[in-house]
Amino acid sequence: MDDMKAMRGMADVEPWETAVLFGGPADGVRLRLTGRPSVLQVSHPCRVENAPDGMQVAALHIYRRDLKVKSEPLRYGFDGVSP
């Protein structure tokens, strides 16, 4: 019985796919992902001056999946107007 559960669990795992980011600060970055998320968030740490202990600031960049691309590499385009 436990072997069957383990086999089912393996079948439920989504395969890894290659994706490429286009435009913006992460242009050309290639990555591996599962589940074909519709949006990716890329963050980049910023240097801060006079910040309280432990405070961190990151610039956020949004990339949206190009739904016309159905095979690898998946394509994500920079969305410069997203907050």
Side-chain angles (χ1 to χ4, degrees):
M1 181 78 166
D2 289 330
D3 290 338
M4 290 300 288
K5 286 181 183 177
M7 288 174 57
R8 276 197 301 262
M10 289 173 54
D12 292 342
V13 175
E14 295 185 54
W16 288 93
E17 295 181 284
T18 301
V20 179
L21 305 181
F22 286 92
D27 186 47
V29 169
R30 296 177 69 86
L31 58 135
R32 305 274 295 158
L33 48 78
T34 62
R36 294 189 174 192
S38 58
V39 176
L40 296 176
Q41 175 179 299
V42 174
S43 64
H44 189 271
C46 298
R47 292 184 183 172
V48 295
E49 297 179 13
N50 302 325
D53 284 345
M55 178 181 282
Q56 298 176 357
V57 177
L60 298 178
H61 309 283
I62 304 298
Y63 287 79
R64 297 189 185 278
R65 185 164 55 94
D66 183 342
L67 299 177
K68 295 176 277 185
V69 178
K70 304 293 184 192
S71 61
E72 292 184 73
L74 302 175
R75 181 182 172 119
Y76 286 80
F78 178 64
D79 183 346
V81 297
S82 284

